[in-house]
Amino acid sequence: MTEPFHNNITITVDGRECFAHEGETLIDVLRREGVRTPALCYHPDLSRPGSCRACLVQIEGIHGEVPSCKVLVRAGMEVRAETPKLQESHRSVLEMLLNNYVDTEYSSSKFKETEFGYWLRQYGLEPEQSVTGKPVHVPDSDPHPAIRVDLNKCILCTRCVRACAEVQGRFVWGVGGRSDASHIIAGLNQTMLEARCESCGACAAYCPTGALADRERLSVPTPESKVMTTCCYCGVGCNFDLNIRDGRIVGVTSNPRAPVNGMHLCVKGRYGYDFVHHPDRLTRPRVREWLLQGGKKPANNDRGKWVEVSWDRALDLVAEKISKIIQESGPDAAAVFSSAKCTNEENYLMQKFARQVLGTHNVDHCARLCHSSTVAGLAAALGSGAMTNTMADIAGHANALLVIGSNTTEQHPVFGSMLRQAVLHRDIKLVIADPRRIDLTEFACLHLQQAPGTDIALVNGLMHLILEHGWHDQDFIDERTEGFEAFRESLAGYTPDRVSTITGVPEQSIREAAAILGQTRPMGVIWAMGITQHTVGVQNVFSLANLQLLTGNLGIPGAGVNPLRGQNNVQGACDMGALPNVFPGYQQVTNPAALEKFNSAWKLDGHDSLFSEAAGLTVTEMIDGAMEGKVRALYILGENTLMTEPDLNHTRKAMAAAEFTVLQEIFPTATAEYADVLLPGTSFAEKDGTYTNTERRVQMINTAVQPPGEARPDWEITADLARRVLAHRGETPAGTCADWNYASAAEVMAEIA
């Protein structure tokens, strides 16, 4: 018997007492109790039409047999789920479903068994018994590049229809025809892509028969193992299973236990894994020929040929060169680029390497170019530069949302779909402020198309009207804020007519938006790089924080400020202190207590102080420093500087001017052309560690396959290099966390903790 629930009831299943929630669906209770009946139209994530009739049970007091997916439990209910009579009924339903089922492709013994195939086997049925003629539908009838369609296998369970509507919110699939001619169709008898399919693969993931299937599943045998991990693309932080066979990733499958996304994935997470085994992967360390000859970099900036060398040779060369530069020009002649694509453990070690081993605060990463304005703005306004809510909290509790500077369904697709569902199922009021007509505007009650660069005027205009109509939360303002009167005065000039002139948004639309955002509770604000990558990015963030303070929309479910992080570990890289002005945990490098703490923890014999009391250089300042000759050595982890810096021509010149550049990467990127040493790291599938997603959820990645050639996990490379630099200088670690002898990523996380 299961453990009792709070406010539970008891029912009887096949003579034994079971606990349940009042109003819970009977099939969910049966599944929890280990009683499995066939259920092919049912899935716990989807609405329950009860159309397949496979999950029949008997209930005392109800005549006949009823589908358990349509029955709500009540106290004292007596259920029979496993009787010979029910077994016959289940078999009869499966036989009827087989009437129009034709397996045209592959034997179930070679490839992964489908859910339908499992139940056929359990009841001793074979598809061949039902094949009475040629297939009705053309196999592989849709040209979709990732999903194969074979409607000969369709049993009209409509899971695909419901998954597309209720999970992705795209409505690609429907039912066409009548009676025996009924069949699944895409759009108005279109191809999937013509029907605006977003290739998330939800329809294939929920299909129980293989009528809709990921193409790679049809080209490889059953996986030997599955490894749960976290996606390496955006900040949503989806979990899924990597399917492994013969040491290679052969597919991705949804894991219903994934805390952020459940079964849901986007096209990148489900299908974008082939880069792991790409032939262009770096497999051995490479150094420029001039380094091996002991000379200087050629004066014409032609760095010369690459030569593959051993790890010992490569790392010793790096240690010698960096040590010499620091000895000649001081610690600040070196700079470290960390990476939001790498793990928390690796980012922690990179900033520790900069500060303890090199003695500089010159460490930064790509958040400088995307969300540093968010970190600075929210830290100043609220004390913490991060989301105040979880994604599930926003989608599940907000009654109104302002989305500004975020093309959510494209850049954070799974969360974007959650917002669609919030509109469709809870009818929340969605206001989009974006110069473009993005996809999410189809689901919005109002679209404000402000001119680019006029975000502050728009938000100030909304707050002006909220104050004018008395929609602000005076109690919250009195208890939780400072400087309200000065703030009120600053809004006086932002009248609707003036704001309309500045922004190009009609005055009536401004008034409607103010009414929605000012009168609806709880109300959340969501933004991304559309408002942060501006010269006034910090001020944009201040305005949005002020909007939420003014309306009291902080500290309650569904209400808050929610910057969506771009890459998979932007939040974690910032948290780990891969920034020039803060240690891990946002402890300021100018704070005497923080300086003492880290000096003590990372102490080296013979050093009273390891680092300066002034902040280091930012990413853009490092590039300028290389151009000017002030920064002589660059150590870059997982950053393609030639693609991410805002002024490409300037960056090219600066990288060419840098005396010595070490690039730790998985591919020979454009930045590799300007590197002197290439160190092959590993992808997310080839190492252990953690990422921190946009809502600050720390999640594991796990080793699924071995790295190619001699590539090594990045934390291991950095630790090895640190030991060699310290040994080259004759330094001895003496602090409590000073040494670099980590046996695993878990040991690095223990130090972080």
PDB file of all heavy atoms in Angstrom, residues 155-182:
ATOM      1  N   ILE A 155      -3.449   4.358 -34.913  1.00  0.00           N
ATOM      2  CA  ILE A 155      -4.651   3.766 -34.324  1.00  0.00           C
ATOM      3  C   ILE A 155      -5.637   4.852 -33.879  1.00  0.00           C
ATOM      4  O   ILE A 155      -6.555   4.592 -33.113  1.00  0.00           O
ATOM      5  CB  ILE A 155      -4.293   2.847 -33.145  1.00  0.00           C
ATOM      6  CG1 ILE A 155      -3.540   3.624 -32.054  1.00  0.00           C
ATOM      7  CG2 ILE A 155      -3.471   1.642 -33.626  1.00  0.00           C
ATOM      8  CD1 ILE A 155      -3.300   2.834 -30.776  1.00  0.00           C
ATOM      9  N   LEU A 156      -5.414   6.086 -34.336  1.00  0.00           N
ATOM     10  CA  LEU A 156      -6.286   7.228 -34.022  1.00  0.00           C
ATOM     11  C   LEU A 156      -6.458   7.452 -32.520  1.00  0.00           C
ATOM     12  O   LEU A 156      -7.547   7.768 -32.042  1.00  0.00           O
ATOM     13  CB  LEU A 156      -7.658   7.055 -34.684  1.00  0.00           C
ATOM     14  CG  LEU A 156      -7.730   7.443 -36.162  1.00  0.00           C
ATOM     15  CD1 LEU A 156      -9.125   7.172 -36.711  1.00  0.00           C
ATOM     16  CD2 LEU A 156      -7.369   8.916 -36.358  1.00  0.00           C
ATOM     17  N   CYS A 157      -5.362   7.294 -31.801  1.00  0.00           N
ATOM     18  CA  CYS A 157      -5.410   7.596 -30.360  1.00  0.00           C
ATOM     19  C   CYS A 157      -5.446   9.100 -30.122  1.00  0.00           C
ATOM     20  O   CYS A 157      -5.804   9.552 -29.032  1.00  0.00           O
ATOM     21  CB  CYS A 157      -4.211   6.986 -29.650  1.00  0.00           C
ATOM     22  SG  CYS A 157      -2.630   7.739 -30.098  1.00  0.00           S
ATOM     23  N   THR A 158      -5.025   9.890 -31.094  1.00  0.00           N
ATOM     24  CA  THR A 158      -4.973  11.362 -31.100  1.00  0.00           C
ATOM     25  C   THR A 158      -3.986  11.952 -30.094  1.00  0.00           C
ATOM     26  O   THR A 158      -4.050  13.132 -29.778  1.00  0.00           O
ATOM     27  CB  THR A 158      -6.358  12.012 -30.888  1.00  0.00           C
ATOM     28  OG1 THR A 158      -6.811  11.799 -29.547  1.00  0.00           O
ATOM     29  CG2 THR A 158      -7.369  11.503 -31.905  1.00  0.00           C
ATOM     30  N   ARG A 159      -3.072  11.138 -29.616  1.00  0.00           N
ATOM     31  CA  ARG A 159      -2.050  11.712 -28.728  1.00  0.00           C
ATOM     32  C   ARG A 159      -1.256  12.803 -29.441  1.00  0.00           C
ATOM     33  O   ARG A 159      -0.896  13.816 -28.840  1.00  0.00           O
ATOM     34  CB  ARG A 159      -1.083  10.623 -28.252  1.00  0.00           C
ATOM     35  CG  ARG A 159      -1.539   9.827 -27.064  1.00  0.00           C
ATOM     36  CD  ARG A 159      -0.326   9.150 -26.462  1.00  0.00           C
ATOM     37  NE  ARG A 159      -0.663   7.972 -25.698  1.00  0.00           N
ATOM     38  CZ  ARG A 159       0.243   7.148 -25.180  1.00  0.00           C
ATOM     39  NH1 ARG A 159       1.523   7.362 -25.390  1.00  0.00           N
ATOM     40  NH2 ARG A 159      -0.129   6.094 -24.487  1.00  0.00           N
ATOM     41  N   CYS A 160      -0.929  12.585 -30.732  1.00  0.00           N
ATOM     42  CA  CYS A 160      -0.146  13.580 -31.468  1.00  0.00           C
ATOM     43  C   CYS A 160      -0.903  14.895 -31.564  1.00  0.00           C
ATOM     44  O   CYS A 160      -0.315  15.982 -31.430  1.00  0.00           O
ATOM     45  CB  CYS A 160       0.222  13.052 -32.846  1.00  0.00           C
ATOM     46  SG  CYS A 160      -1.191  12.641 -33.896  1.00  0.00           S
ATOM     47  N   VAL A 161      -2.217  14.807 -31.790  1.00  0.00           N
ATOM     48  CA  VAL A 161      -3.042  16.018 -31.902  1.00  0.00           C
ATOM     49  C   VAL A 161      -3.005  16.783 -30.583  1.00  0.00           C
ATOM     50  O   VAL A 161      -2.798  18.007 -30.554  1.00  0.00           O
ATOM     51  CB  VAL A 161      -4.497  15.653 -32.264  1.00  0.00           C
ATOM     52  CG1 VAL A 161      -5.366  16.896 -32.322  1.00  0.00           C
ATOM     53  CG2 VAL A 161      -4.543  14.895 -33.586  1.00  0.00           C
ATOM     54  N   ARG A 162      -3.185  16.057 -29.506  1.00  0.00           N
ATOM     55  CA  ARG A 162      -3.217  16.703 -28.188  1.00  0.00           C
ATOM     56  C   ARG A 162      -1.835  17.197 -27.755  1.00  0.00           C
ATOM     57  O   ARG A 162      -1.718  18.256 -27.131  1.00  0.00           O
ATOM     58  CB  ARG A 162      -3.801  15.731 -27.159  1.00  0.00           C
ATOM     59  CG  ARG A 162      -5.308  15.533 -27.310  1.00  0.00           C
ATOM     60  CD  ARG A 162      -5.839  14.435 -26.406  1.00  0.00           C
ATOM     61  NE  ARG A 162      -5.519  13.103 -26.906  1.00  0.00           N
ATOM     62  CZ  ARG A 162      -5.142  12.091 -26.141  1.00  0.00           C
ATOM     63  NH1 ARG A 162      -5.013  12.250 -24.836  1.00  0.00           N
ATOM     64  NH2 ARG A 162      -4.893  10.918 -26.675  1.00  0.00           N
ATOM     65  N   ALA A 163      -0.782  16.438 -28.075  1.00  0.00           N
ATOM     66  CA  ALA A 163       0.573  16.871 -27.712  1.00  0.00           C
ATOM     67  C   ALA A 163       0.927  18.174 -28.413  1.00  0.00           C
ATOM     68  O   ALA A 163       1.470  19.106 -27.798  1.00  0.00           O
ATOM     69  CB  ALA A 163       1.589  15.791 -28.055  1.00  0.00           C
ATOM     70  N   CYS A 164       0.611  18.261 -29.712  1.00  0.00           N
ATOM     71  CA  CYS A 164       0.932  19.478 -30.459  1.00  0.00           C
ATOM     72  C   CYS A 164       0.134  20.661 -29.929  1.00  0.00           C
ATOM     73  O   CYS A 164       0.644  21.780 -29.838  1.00  0.00           O
ATOM     74  CB  CYS A 164       0.656  19.266 -31.946  1.00  0.00           C
ATOM     75  SG  CYS A 164       1.368  20.549 -32.987  1.00  0.00           S
ATOM     76  N   ALA A 165      -1.112  20.426 -29.553  1.00  0.00           N
ATOM     77  CA  ALA A 165      -1.964  21.507 -29.057  1.00  0.00           C
ATOM     78  C   ALA A 165      -1.666  21.857 -27.604  1.00  0.00           C
ATOM     79  O   ALA A 165      -1.574  23.036 -27.243  1.00  0.00           O
ATOM     80  CB  ALA A 165      -3.431  21.111 -29.204  1.00  0.00           C
ATOM     81  N   GLU A 166      -1.487  20.834 -26.765  1.00  0.00           N
ATOM     82  CA  GLU A 166      -1.447  21.056 -25.323  1.00  0.00           C
ATOM     83  C   GLU A 166      -0.037  21.188 -24.758  1.00  0.00           C
ATOM     84  O   GLU A 166       0.133  21.678 -23.644  1.00  0.00           O
ATOM     85  CB  GLU A 166      -2.171  19.903 -24.618  1.00  0.00           C
ATOM     86  CG  GLU A 166      -3.646  19.808 -24.992  1.00  0.00           C
ATOM     87  CD  GLU A 166      -4.292  18.515 -24.511  1.00  0.00           C
ATOM     88  OE1 GLU A 166      -3.691  17.821 -23.665  1.00  0.00           O
ATOM     89  OE2 GLU A 166      -5.395  18.189 -24.994  1.00  0.00           O
ATOM     90  N   VAL A 167       0.966  20.753 -25.506  1.00  0.00           N
ATOM     91  CA  VAL A 167       2.349  20.889 -25.054  1.00  0.00           C
ATOM     92  C   VAL A 167       3.056  21.990 -25.833  1.00  0.00           C
ATOM     93  O   VAL A 167       3.565  22.944 -25.262  1.00  0.00           O
ATOM     94  CB  VAL A 167       3.112  19.549 -25.195  1.00  0.00           C
ATOM     95  CG1 VAL A 167       4.577  19.730 -24.809  1.00  0.00           C
ATOM     96  CG2 VAL A 167       2.467  18.480 -24.322  1.00  0.00           C
ATOM     97  N   GLN A 168       3.065  21.868 -27.164  1.00  0.00           N
ATOM     98  CA  GLN A 168       3.771  22.837 -27.992  1.00  0.00           C
ATOM     99  C   GLN A 168       2.920  24.052 -28.334  1.00  0.00           C
ATOM    100  O   GLN A 168       3.452  25.135 -28.565  1.00  0.00           O
ATOM    101  CB  GLN A 168       4.257  22.160 -29.280  1.00  0.00           C
ATOM    102  CG  GLN A 168       5.158  23.016 -30.145  1.00  0.00           C
ATOM    103  CD  GLN A 168       6.509  23.304 -29.516  1.00  0.00           C
ATOM    104  OE1 GLN A 168       6.834  22.781 -28.454  1.00  0.00           O
ATOM    105  NE2 GLN A 168       7.296  24.155 -30.148  1.00  0.00           N
ATOM    106  N   GLY A 169       1.599  23.888 -28.400  1.00  0.00           N
ATOM    107  CA  GLY A 169       0.736  25.014 -28.736  1.00  0.00           C
ATOM    108  C   GLY A 169       0.843  25.457 -30.176  1.00  0.00           C
ATOM    109  O   GLY A 169       0.663  26.632 -30.503  1.00  0.00           O
ATOM    110  N   ARG A 170       1.076  24.486 -31.088  1.00  0.00           N
ATOM    111  CA  ARG A 170       1.270  24.840 -32.490  1.00  0.00           C
ATOM    112  C   ARG A 170       0.126  24.352 -33.377  1.00  0.00           C
ATOM    113  O   ARG A 170      -0.061  24.855 -34.475  1.00  0.00           O
ATOM    114  CB  ARG A 170       2.603  24.257 -32.972  1.00  0.00           C
ATOM    115  CG  ARG A 170       3.123  24.803 -34.271  1.00  0.00           C
ATOM    116  CD  ARG A 170       3.526  26.251 -34.196  1.00  0.00           C
ATOM    117  NE  ARG A 170       2.396  27.171 -34.299  1.00  0.00           N
ATOM    118  CZ  ARG A 170       2.461  28.458 -34.103  1.00  0.00           C
ATOM    119  NH1 ARG A 170       3.602  29.022 -33.768  1.00  0.00           N
ATOM    120  NH2 ARG A 170       1.406  29.229 -34.223  1.00  0.00           N
ATOM    121  N   PHE A 171      -0.637  23.338 -32.971  1.00  0.00           N
ATOM    122  CA  PHE A 171      -1.857  22.879 -33.654  1.00  0.00           C
ATOM    123  C   PHE A 171      -1.583  22.416 -35.089  1.00  0.00           C
ATOM    124  O   PHE A 171      -2.335  22.730 -36.005  1.00  0.00           O
ATOM    125  CB  PHE A 171      -2.929  23.984 -33.651  1.00  0.00           C
ATOM    126  CG  PHE A 171      -3.258  24.478 -32.278  1.00  0.00           C
ATOM    127  CD1 PHE A 171      -2.646  25.609 -31.762  1.00  0.00           C
ATOM    128  CD2 PHE A 171      -4.145  23.793 -31.482  1.00  0.00           C
ATOM    129  CE1 PHE A 171      -2.923  26.060 -30.486  1.00  0.00           C
ATOM    130  CE2 PHE A 171      -4.446  24.230 -30.200  1.00  0.00           C
ATOM    131  CZ  PHE A 171      -3.829  25.365 -29.700  1.00  0.00           C
ATOM    132  N   VAL A 172      -0.515  21.659 -35.263  1.00  0.00           N
ATOM    133  CA  VAL A 172      -0.191  21.128 -36.593  1.00  0.00           C
ATOM    134  C   VAL A 172      -1.127  19.990 -36.966  1.00  0.00           C
ATOM    135  O   VAL A 172      -1.622  19.916 -38.087  1.00  0.00           O
ATOM    136  CB  VAL A 172       1.280  20.653 -36.640  1.00  0.00           C
ATOM    137  CG1 VAL A 172       1.570  19.886 -37.925  1.00  0.00           C
ATOM    138  CG2 VAL A 172       2.215  21.850 -36.490  1.00  0.00           C
ATOM    139  N   TRP A 173      -1.401  19.094 -36.004  1.00  0.00           N
ATOM    140  CA  TRP A 173      -2.129  17.855 -36.308  1.00  0.00           C
ATOM    141  C   TRP A 173      -3.621  17.985 -36.030  1.00  0.00           C
ATOM    142  O   TRP A 173      -4.040  18.663 -35.096  1.00  0.00           O
ATOM    143  CB  TRP A 173      -1.568  16.684 -35.491  1.00  0.00           C
ATOM    144  CG  TRP A 173      -0.164  16.314 -35.877  1.00  0.00           C
ATOM    145  CD1 TRP A 173       0.974  16.552 -35.167  1.00  0.00           C
ATOM    146  CD2 TRP A 173       0.238  15.653 -37.072  1.00  0.00           C
ATOM    147  NE1 TRP A 173       2.064  16.085 -35.843  1.00  0.00           N
ATOM    148  CE2 TRP A 173       1.648  15.528 -37.015  1.00  0.00           C
ATOM    149  CE3 TRP A 173      -0.433  15.165 -38.196  1.00  0.00           C
ATOM    150  CZ2 TRP A 173       2.385  14.927 -38.034  1.00  0.00           C
ATOM    151  CZ3 TRP A 173       0.300  14.565 -39.209  1.00  0.00           C
ATOM    152  CH2 TRP A 173       1.689  14.450 -39.123  1.00  0.00           C
ATOM    153  N   GLY A 174      -4.407  17.289 -36.851  1.00  0.00           N
ATOM    154  CA  GLY A 174      -5.849  17.202 -36.659  1.00  0.00           C
ATOM    155  C   GLY A 174      -6.350  15.887 -37.221  1.00  0.00           C
ATOM    156  O   GLY A 174      -5.568  15.046 -37.670  1.00  0.00           O
ATOM    157  N   VAL A 175      -7.670  15.687 -37.188  1.00  0.00           N
ATOM    158  CA  VAL A 175      -8.282  14.469 -37.727  1.00  0.00           C
ATOM    159  C   VAL A 175      -9.119  14.850 -38.932  1.00  0.00           C
ATOM    160  O   VAL A 175      -9.981  15.739 -38.862  1.00  0.00           O
ATOM    161  CB  VAL A 175      -9.156  13.760 -36.669  1.00  0.00           C
ATOM    162  CG1 VAL A 175      -9.801  12.514 -37.265  1.00  0.00           C
ATOM    163  CG2 VAL A 175      -8.316  13.400 -35.446  1.00  0.00           C
ATOM    164  N   GLY A 176      -8.844  14.192 -40.061  1.00  0.00           N
ATOM    165  CA  GLY A 176      -9.605  14.428 -41.276  1.00  0.00           C
ATOM    166  C   GLY A 176     -10.395  13.191 -41.675  1.00  0.00           C
ATOM    167  O   GLY A 176     -10.129  12.087 -41.198  1.00  0.00           O
ATOM    168  N   GLY A 177     -11.366  13.341 -42.561  1.00  0.00           N
ATOM    169  CA  GLY A 177     -12.179  12.218 -43.018  1.00  0.00           C
ATOM    170  C   GLY A 177     -13.264  11.856 -42.024  1.00  0.00           C
ATOM    171  O   GLY A 177     -13.374  12.441 -40.940  1.00  0.00           O
ATOM    172  N   ARG A 178     -14.071  10.852 -42.393  1.00  0.00           N
ATOM    173  CA  ARG A 178     -15.173  10.420 -41.532  1.00  0.00           C
ATOM    174  C   ARG A 178     -15.199   8.908 -41.430  1.00  0.00           C
ATOM    175  O   ARG A 178     -14.731   8.194 -42.317  1.00  0.00           O
ATOM    176  CB  ARG A 178     -16.513  10.891 -42.094  1.00  0.00           C
ATOM    177  CG  ARG A 178     -16.699  12.392 -42.097  1.00  0.00           C
ATOM    178  CD  ARG A 178     -18.098  12.769 -42.563  1.00  0.00           C
ATOM    179  NE  ARG A 178     -18.334  14.208 -42.500  1.00  0.00           N
ATOM    180  CZ  ARG A 178     -19.486  14.774 -42.791  1.00  0.00           C
ATOM    181  NH1 ARG A 178     -20.517  14.031 -43.176  1.00  0.00           N
ATOM    182  NH2 ARG A 178     -19.628  16.080 -42.709  1.00  0.00           N
ATOM    183  N   SER A 179     -15.757   8.433 -40.332  1.00  0.00           N
ATOM    184  CA  SER A 179     -15.982   7.005 -40.124  1.00  0.00           C
ATOM    185  C   SER A 179     -14.695   6.223 -40.366  1.00  0.00           C
ATOM    186  O   SER A 179     -13.645   6.585 -39.835  1.00  0.00           O
ATOM    187  CB  SER A 179     -17.123   6.529 -41.033  1.00  0.00           C
ATOM    188  OG  SER A 179     -17.478   5.202 -40.730  1.00  0.00           O
ATOM    189  N   ASP A 180     -14.765   5.182 -41.200  1.00  0.00           N
ATOM    190  CA  ASP A 180     -13.597   4.350 -41.436  1.00  0.00           C
ATOM    191  C   ASP A 180     -12.491   5.090 -42.183  1.00  0.00           C
ATOM    192  O   ASP A 180     -11.342   4.641 -42.193  1.00  0.00           O
ATOM    193  CB  ASP A 180     -13.978   3.100 -42.241  1.00  0.00           C
ATOM    194  CG  ASP A 180     -14.822   2.131 -41.417  1.00  0.00           C
ATOM    195  OD1 ASP A 180     -14.847   2.301 -40.185  1.00  0.00           O
ATOM    196  OD2 ASP A 180     -15.441   1.232 -42.012  1.00  0.00           O
ATOM    197  N   ALA A 181     -12.823   6.210 -42.809  1.00  0.00           N
ATOM    198  CA  ALA A 181     -11.817   6.976 -43.556  1.00  0.00           C
ATOM    199  C   ALA A 181     -11.117   8.023 -42.691  1.00  0.00           C
ATOM    200  O   ALA A 181     -10.283   8.784 -43.190  1.00  0.00           O
ATOM    201  CB  ALA A 181     -12.463   7.646 -44.754  1.00  0.00           C
ATOM    202  N   SER A 182     -11.444   8.074 -41.408  1.00  0.00           N
ATOM    203  CA  SER A 182     -10.805   9.047 -40.522  1.00  0.00           C
ATOM    204  C   SER A 182      -9.306   8.776 -40.436  1.00  0.00           C
ATOM    205  O   SER A 182      -8.872   7.629 -40.337  1.00  0.00           O
ATOM    206  CB  SER A 182     -11.421   8.969 -39.117  1.00  0.00           C
ATOM    207  OG  SER A 182     -12.780   9.318 -39.146  1.00  0.00           O
TER     208      SER A 182
END
